Amino acid sequence: MITFDMITSKTELIEENEFYKLYHNHDARFMYDYNFMRLKYQPTLEEFKLIEKILLEFHEDMEMDHVKFYWPEDYGFTELIIDYLSSNGYGIEILELYAIDPKDFTPTKRNPAVTVEFVTEESLKSFKQINRVQDTDISETFADQKQDLYDQDFDDSAIQQVIAYLNGIPVGSVDLLIQENTIEIDNFFVLEEYQRQGVGTEIQRFVMENAGSKTVILVADAEDTPKDMYLKQNYTYLSYQVGALKELSAPK
């Protein structure tokens, strides 16, 4: 069974008890999606405040500038917790999990001007350059911090980096997170000025052709339009997960 618990390939489970799982990546403490707590039940407001205190203290000790929580799969927030989150500086997200058997992928027509390949030592520089352009949309600091992670991922046998070219120009990429029975599509993008030219479809086609017997999975923002594209391409919706993120004062 495919669940959100499987979407943890770039982080480490460092603590688990009957109430929560705590994930942490010490080398990428600035990455919100690598450092979070996943609740194992629906807490009352008072219980959440206690759990929140635990994560706040841990992240402050680690000199981190955020806390992030995920609720159990297919559980929403209670009204009391929604009120608490909204009045205490939290942003809320809803994520959806999708999966597809590669042979069921139904793309639109091909664009012969697009070529897709696995990243090599020769193309790693181009891969990092276009990712830096994408990362700069968040901030220059974030983009600078993330460059070293791409080198680490290149050396990780459980991650395959893919780059796409349009008429020989690097314009998009994706990370493939390899597990025993699945391949997760992560960090999938096409530079804005090259979108709507079939680049994203060709990247996905490449993934399907190289997936073998593994199921391809991905997580989409419930408020984002690409999820409609995934459904048209024969992905199956599996479940949802709500999250809450709070940015703290920058660590000293």
Side-chain angles (χ1 to χ4, degrees), residues 10 27-28 30-31 34 119 123-137 139-155 161 173 175 187 189 191:
K10 291 187 179 182
D27 294 328
F30 64 94
M31 291 291 293
Y34 296 5
V119 172
S123 58
L124 180 59
K125 182 178 180 180
S126 294
F127 177 88
K128 291 174 66 177
Q129 285 175 338
I130 60 171
N131 273 272
R132 195 185 193 293
V133 172
Q134 187 75 0
D135 295 336
T136 301
D137 286 345
S139 74
E140 288 283 348
T141 299
F142 177 79
D144 290 340
Q145 289 175 315
K146 208 166 174 208
Q147 286 290 288
D148 287 343
L149 291 185
Y150 297 124
D151 292 319
Q152 294 176 24
D153 290 348
F154 182 76
D155 293 327
Q161 296 164 318
S173 73
D175 294 335
N187 196 30
F189 76 92
L191 295 176

Side-chain angles (χ1 to χ4, degrees), residues 217-230:
I217 62 176
L218 61 83
V219 173
D221 187 330
E223 303 300 318
D224 207 356
T225 52
K227 68 172 189 172
D228 297 326
M229 175 187 72
Y230 297 137

Side-chain angles (χ1 to χ4, degrees), residues 76-94:
F77 302 117
T78 64
E79 288 188 14
L80 285 176
I81 287 179
I82 288 178
D83 290 342
Y84 178 79
L85 295 174
S86 61
S87 61
N88 283 274
Y90 281 90
I92 290 172
E93 67 179 6
I94 305 174

Side-chain angles (χ1 to χ4, degrees), residues 50-247:
L50 291 174
I51 292 171
E52 177 189 39
K53 185 174 183 290
I54 293 171
L55 188 58
L56 277 167
E57 290 177 351
F58 174 69
H59 278 203
E60 287 170 356
D61 287 344
M62 292 293 105
E63 298 185 329
M64 298 166 68
D65 62 359
H66 80 281
V67 286
K68 187 169 189 177
F69 300 89
Y70 286 116
W71 258 242
E73 202 156 347
D74 289 332
Y75 277 73
F77 302 117
T78 64
E79 288 188 14
L80 285 176
I81 287 179
I82 288 178
D83 290 342
Y84 178 79
L85 295 174
S86 61
S87 61
N88 283 274
Y90 281 90
I92 290 172
E93 67 179 6
I94 305 174
L95 303 177
E96 296 179 340
L97 180 60
Y98 292 84
I100 189 172
D101 185 320
K103 70 177 185 300
D104 294 330
F105 182 65
T106 55
T108 54
K109 63 182 181 179
R110 304 202 72 151
N111 183 347
V114 178
T115 56
V116 185
E117 62 186 37
F118 290 115
V119 172
T120 64
E121 290 185 1
E122 291 72 26
S123 58
L124 180 59
K125 182 178 180 180
S126 294
F127 177 88
K128 291 174 66 177
Q129 285 175 338
I130 60 171
N131 273 272
R132 195 185 193 293
V133 172
Q134 187 75 0
D135 295 336
T136 301
D137 286 345
I138 297 176
S139 74
E140 288 283 348
T141 299
F142 177 79
D144 290 340
Q145 289 175 315
K146 208 166 174 208
Q147 286 290 288
D148 287 343
L149 291 185
Y150 297 124
D151 292 319
Q152 294 176 24
D153 290 348
F154 182 76
D155 293 327
D156 189 335
S157 60
I159 300 174
Q160 292 181 318
Q161 296 164 318
V162 174
I163 187 168
Y165 302 85
L166 178 62
N167 295 315
I169 300 171
V171 298
S173 73
V174 70
D175 294 335
L176 304 182
L177 312 183
I178 313 300
Q179 300 189 49
E180 183 177 358
N181 299 308
T182 63
I183 294 179
E184 180 189 347
I185 291 178
D186 187 44
N187 196 30
F188 178 25
F189 76 92
V190 177
L191 295 176
E192 186 174 2
E193 60 266 41
Y194 298 103
Q195 293 176 5
R196 301 186 182 279
Q197 299 185 58
V199 179
T201 298
E202 292 298 332
I203 291 175
Q204 287 201 74
R205 191 195 307 272
F206 179 86
V207 173
M208 303 304 164
E209 291 174 349
N210 287 277
S213 61
K214 296 179 186 290
T215 300
V216 176
I217 62 176
L218 61 83
V219 173
D221 187 330
E223 303 300 318
D224 207 356
T225 52
K227 68 172 189 172
D228 297 326
M229 175 187 72
Y230 297 137
L231 290 172
K232 291 178 181 178
Q233 292 172 338
N234 264 351
Y235 281 84
T236 298
Y237 166 82
L238 299 179
S239 58
Y240 77 91
Q241 179 176 254
V242 297
L245 167 69
K246 181 177 183 177
E247 295 180 343

